[in-house]
Amino acid sequence: MDLINKFSDAFWSTHIWLPPNTTWADIAPGSRPDVVHADYRDLIWPIPLAAVVMLIRYTLERFWISPIGKSLGIRSSRPKKAANVPILETAYAKSSRLDHKWLAPLSKQTDMTERQIERWWRLRRAQDKPSTLVKFCENTWRCLYYLYSFIFGVIVLWDKPWFWDVKSCWYGYPHQSVTSDIWLYYMISMSFYWSLTATQFFDVKRKDFWQMFIHHMVTLLLMSLSWVCNLHRVGSLVLVVHDCADIFLEAAKLTKYANYQKLCDAIFAIFTVVWIVTRLGFYPRIIYSSSVEAPRILPMFPAYYIFNALLLMLLVLHVIWTYMILKIVVDSLQKGLMSGDIRSSDSEDLTDSSENVRVANGSTRSKSKSSAAAATGTAATPTVTQRKQHSNSSRSSSSNSNNHTATTATTPTTTTETTN
């Protein structure tokens, strides 16, 4: 126990976390009659509140969001299950991506054709995908929370001087009072991020899973340390800047799931502008203030470098996500619609590619025909009239060659499957 106390005293040294000539007793609750300092013991509240947030989410999704999604015609059922083939299940457990080098060995082990294995693999991947309704519910919940949080944050900060002048975050530090609305804003925000950290392992798994996990951890760490060190002013600014763009991101995704493509495109365009303005405009302004303006107002201390490092980690994540967003924008301009979700699941991203390569040789031939047709200006896929003529030709030649009939009969089927 003595070792733990010594470690705690060393870790929470005033020489690290507080400005010179300041002790923890100086910023303890009740230390000054004119200042209401933050109480570190309040950080326990977001954990039970996170359970309340999850309960509210479950209630809204079950009894309100899900019925609305169903009324919009959003699919709630999953594709049919793949047949239980233990050998294929073992291979699938190693990697959900089908390596075509496996086809020949698996075909020998299962007595299935390569095409049957590819079809089984597509069904198995689709089986792991959550239904569209599940994703719609998740994004609607996030959209509602971010909308509430941003509006509430603006209302709370509207009459605060640091909302209009970032330098006010440093005046009078560390003796800055915590008002009841700031306390509530902090506690609810932290409870939401705790709930996200817990539910992330059960929600739709997206391709930036670990980036988001790091984001949640860094956010919680920043908020906790800023609360302990009475840096709630700059913390509240970071919160309100982050919530703004997320509203439009979640709204764009839920309209995409509801098949309102034009509305989705419009919201995504707004999101892109808001994201760049807030995450690469306002947020770097906060970092500039903490890096350049704060040292002119306050004496520096080691914790300053810790906070700045965490803020810069968030900025790096913003830059990465901005790159991904701009890729979506470029792709949208080329295709005329928002073709993807920057946080979509791997299975979604691979749907089209798996469809295109499900028949190794057949797909190659189909792509070759399409390329040749594009070069010559002719259509690679037969028209309806051509198919009828081809069918009549096949019937007329059936008496001459049964093998030829079998070949021509399977050609439209192969073309259709490859196209679909």
Side-chain angles (χ1 to χ4, degrees):
M1 195 66 180
D2 292 338
L3 183 61
I4 296 177
N5 290 333
K6 289 180 180 179
F7 175 79
S8 178
D9 292 339
F11 181 82
W12 293 110
S13 173
T14 55
H15 299 291
I16 298 176
W17 298 103
L18 297 177
N21 303 320
T22 305
T23 65
W24 291 114
D26 295 334
I27 63 171
S31 59
R32 292 179 55 165
D34 58 331
V35 178
V36 180
H37 293 97
D39 190 346
Y40 73 92
R41 292 170 295 186
D42 291 338
L43 292 177
I44 196 65
W45 283 105
I47 297 178
L49 284 175
V52 176
V53 170
M54 288 188 284
L55 179 62
I56 293 174
R57 172 186 173 177
Y58 172 80
T59 303
L60 287 177
E61 288 186 358
R62 177 73 180 274
F63 299 104
W64 184 58
I65 302 175
S66 181
I68 290 177
K70 291 178 180 178
S71 67
L72 293 173
I74 298 177
R75 181 173 59 85
S76 59
S77 60
R78 294 186 180 185
K80 68 176 184 178
K81 293 184 177 181
N84 185 19
V85 183
I87 295 176
L88 295 182
E89 286 287 353
T90 303
Y92 183 83
K94 294 180 181 179
S95 175
S96 60
R97 295 173 181 266
L98 178 59
D99 188 340
H100 288 277
K101 296 179 181 178
W102 300 350
L103 286 176
L106 289 175
S107 179
K108 294 179 180 179
Q109 296 177 41
T110 59
D111 292 331
M112 296 170 64
T113 65
E114 293 184 1
R115 184 182 291 256
Q116 288 174 330
I117 293 174
E118 289 171 332
R119 287 173 178 169
W120 182 93
W121 212 275
R122 289 197 306 275
L123 283 176
R124 187 64 182 84
R125 285 176 60 86
Q127 182 179 323
D128 286 345
K129 289 174 58 177
S131 67
T132 305
L133 183 62
V134 170
K135 293 181 286 187
F136 175 82
C137 291
E138 177 186 329
N139 292 124
T140 303
W141 157 252
R142 291 173 185 263
C143 183
L144 289 174
Y145 172 79
Y146 290 130
L147 179 62
Y148 145 77
S149 183
F150 176 71
I151 294 175
F152 183 62
V154 171
I155 293 173
V156 166
L157 295 173
W158 192 262
D159 60 345
K160 306 298 189 292
W162 63 89
F163 185 65
W164 305 101
D165 183 8
V166 184
K167 289 188 294 185
S168 297
C169 291
W170 320 115
Y171 296 141
Y173 179 80
H175 303 293
Q176 299 171 339
S177 291
V178 177
T179 58
S180 57
D181 51 359
I182 290 290
W183 185 93
L184 188 61
Y185 184 44
Y186 243 78
M187 295 301 112
I188 294 178
S189 298
M190 290 189 69
S191 65
F192 174 73
Y193 283 105
W194 275 118
S195 70
L196 282 186
T197 304
T199 59
Q200 187 179 6
F201 294 90
F202 307 100
D203 288 336
V204 178
K205 190 169 184 179
R206 305 184 186 276
K207 56 186 178 180
D208 67 342
F209 177 89
W210 290 112
Q211 292 178 21
M212 290 304 299
F213 183 80
I214 294 173
H215 175 273
H216 300 336
M217 290 292 98
V218 172
T219 301
L220 287 169
L221 184 60
L222 266 174
M223 294 183 69
S224 299
L225 292 177
S226 65
W227 186 260
V228 171
C229 297
N230 221 44
L231 284 165
H232 54 273
R233 290 188 176 183
V234 66
S236 59
L237 283 181
V238 172
L239 278 176
V240 76
V241 166
H242 278 68
D243 288 339
C244 184
D246 288 337
I247 300 171
F248 299 98
L249 173 62
E250 303 300 336
K253 289 190 286 187
L254 67 89
T255 51
K256 180 178 177 65
Y257 295 140
N259 291 324
Y260 292 108
Q261 188 61 55
K262 292 184 178 179
L263 181 59
C264 171
D265 295 339
I267 296 176
F268 190 77
I270 297 173
F271 158 73
T272 304
V273 175
V274 173
W275 173 279
I276 293 175
V277 170
T278 56
R279 302 293 180 99
L280 299 184
F282 293 158
Y283 182 68
R285 173 66 181 91
I286 296 174
I287 295 180
Y288 172 81
S289 181
S290 66
S291 303
V292 178
E293 295 174 344
R296 299 172 182 171
I297 300 173
L298 296 173
M300 288 294 94
F301 51 103
Y304 157 80
Y305 301 101
I306 297 176
F307 288 120
N308 254 21
L310 292 172
L311 289 172
L312 287 170
M313 283 180 63
L314 286 179
L315 181 60
V316 170
L317 289 176
H318 296 340
V319 172
I320 294 173
W321 282 322
T322 301
Y323 171 74
M324 297 170 67
I325 292 168
L326 293 179
K327 284 182 63 179
I328 296 293
V329 171
V330 172
D331 189 56
S332 301
L333 293 175
Q334 292 175 347
K335 296 184 178 180
L337 51 83
M338 183 182 141
S339 60
D341 175 356
I342 63 170
R343 295 191 56 230
S344 62
S345 60
D346 290 338
S347 58
E348 288 177 316
D349 293 338
L350 294 172
T351 300
D352 292 338
S353 60
S354 64
E355 289 294 322
N356 292 334
V357 301
R358 65 177 178 265
V359 184
N361 296 329
S363 296
T364 305
R365 288 194 296 269
S366 177
K367 291 177 182 178
S368 299
K369 290 179 181 178
S370 299
S371 301
T376 57
T378 58
T381 304
T383 62
V384 176
T385 305
Q386 289 173 328
R387 287 177 179 173
K388 289 182 179 180
Q389 294 174 351
H390 181 70
S391 176
N392 294 333
S393 175
S394 299
R395 286 196 296 269
S396 64
S397 61
S398 60
S399 58
N400 296 330
S401 174
N402 291 333
N403 293 334
H404 176 70
T405 303
T407 303
T408 54
T410 57
T411 301
T413 304
T414 304
T415 305
T416 303
E417 289 179 357
T418 307
T419 305
N420 292 335

